[in-house]
Amino acid sequence: MTDALTNQGISRRSVAKGAAWSVPVLAAAVSVPMASASTAESYDVGVSASCVGNYDLDQLRSGLGDTVRSLPGGVLLAPLITPITNTLVDTLKGLLSGLGFEEFESRGFNIQAVEGTVPAGTQFTLSGGGLININLLEDALGGAGANALGLVSINGDDAVIELTRDLAEGETQLISLRGDAVDLSVGGTVTFGLVGSDNPSTAPGQPNTSSQNFVVVETSLGNLNLVNDLMDAVEGVPGIGAVLSLITTPLRNALSALTVTLQLCPGQEPPAGA
């Protein structure tokens, strides 16, 4: 009987000991992968339009320089072209700012990792509506540093763009619609949006698609009534003296006819006289 009790006791202790070790091991094996999968899948992407500024300063500078060079007495004006052009550019920037128009700073769409890390390989579609030369878009997306976008494919006026690296929570990446890829002389609607869907843990999440309407206004400096102020600035350039009398009238006429291309941001009104 003693042997029977001993055998029975050993058997019960062995079962209890096995149960005590096996339950935690099983719990750990189940819970770790579930937590890992949940963290990896949870991210919220926000897409929003970005529009700051209305004109390309390089184009404006080029137009003003060509205007000055086209005036009579080119040989005499050669030493004065640079100071006159610089004065015109600086003055015109201030005058346009007074009308509510600024140099281009940002034009495109922001991609923001609102929640979680948005993984590399996440794709977006860009529809150009004739405004964007999709074939030149790859150059516009290129560059070092923080740029995290690459061109995947082109289909007519549409393109597929993807993140080439992870976008950490709180980080924002701009897809810039400027440069040779964008025709600033035409209008149109551009749409940018996430392919598929994200999986935010908090409802309702952020918009995954945004559209931006590009409204273009072609006007002249004469229509904007800015020529008198520009001429006052030119007359103040040191060293211009007697030469100014040779170009005052033709310069005034040329500036009055000079066309300025303004792109309006959403909600912005065109200038008076445009």
Side-chain angles (χ1 to χ4, degrees):
M1 183 177 294
T2 303
D3 290 341
L5 289 173
T6 302
N7 290 337
Q8 186 179 15
I10 291 171
S11 176
R12 287 175 180 170
R13 284 197 299 272
S14 298
V15 170
K17 183 177 179 182
W21 281 103
S22 65
V23 172
V25 169
L26 178 62
V30 172
S31 63
V32 170
M34 287 178 63
S36 249
S38 173
T39 302
E41 293 175 0
S42 180
Y43 66 87
D44 188 7
V45 179
V47 173
S48 60
S50 177
C51 183
V52 181
N54 311 103
Y55 63 87
D56 187 326
L57 183 62
D58 288 339
Q59 289 184 352
L60 186 63
R61 184 182 298 278
S62 176
L64 289 168
D66 291 344
T67 297
V68 175
R69 278 188 288 272
S70 69
L71 297 173
V75 176
L76 294 175
L77 289 174
L80 302 173
I81 287 177
T82 299
I84 290 176
T85 301
N86 290 343
T87 299
L88 288 171
V89 170
D90 294 342
T91 304
L92 188 52
K93 282 178 61 177
L95 295 173
L96 289 173
S97 181
L99 296 176
F101 301 100
E102 304 293 343
E103 177 188 357
F104 276 145
E105 184 175 319
S106 174
R107 187 68 53 123
F109 295 93
N110 284 318
I111 306 168
Q112 184 179 16
V114 179
E115 177 186 77
T117 296
V118 182
T122 301
Q123 294 187 342
F124 302 83
T125 55
L126 177 68
S127 176
L131 175 69
I132 301 173
N133 186 335
I134 296 293
N135 294 311
L136 295 176
L137 190 61
E138 189 166 16
D139 292 337
L141 295 175
N147 199 316
L149 299 171
L151 184 63
V152 176
S153 65
I154 297 173
N155 181 19
D157 287 335
D158 301 340
V160 175
I161 295 164
E162 73 174 13
L163 292 178
T164 56
R165 62 171 176 81
D166 291 350
L167 208 61
E169 182 171 296
E171 187 178 359
T172 298
Q173 177 66 47
L174 172 70
I175 170 170
S176 180
L177 301 182
R178 292 173 56 188
D180 293 337
V182 184
D183 189 345
L184 298 177
S185 64
V186 301
T189 299
V190 181
T191 301
F192 185 75
L194 176 69
V195 174
S197 60
D198 50 13
N199 183 29
S201 64
T202 56
Q206 299 292 317
N208 297 148
T209 301
S210 179
S211 294
Q212 188 167 180
N213 188 26
F214 289 76
V215 178
V216 176
V217 175
E218 296 277 355
T219 187
S220 69
L221 296 182
N223 289 339
L224 293 175
N225 298 316
L226 302 180
V227 177
N228 288 335
D229 290 331
L230 287 170
M231 290 303 302
D232 290 342
V234 172
E235 290 172 357
V237 176
I240 199 168
V243 181
L244 181 62
S245 62
L246 300 175
I247 64 170
T248 298
T249 299
L251 179 57
R252 182 181 297 276
N253 293 337
L255 289 175
S256 295
L258 183 63
T259 298
V260 178
T261 301
L262 299 174
Q263 228 175 56
L264 306 183
C265 289
Q268 192 172 30
E269 296 295 324

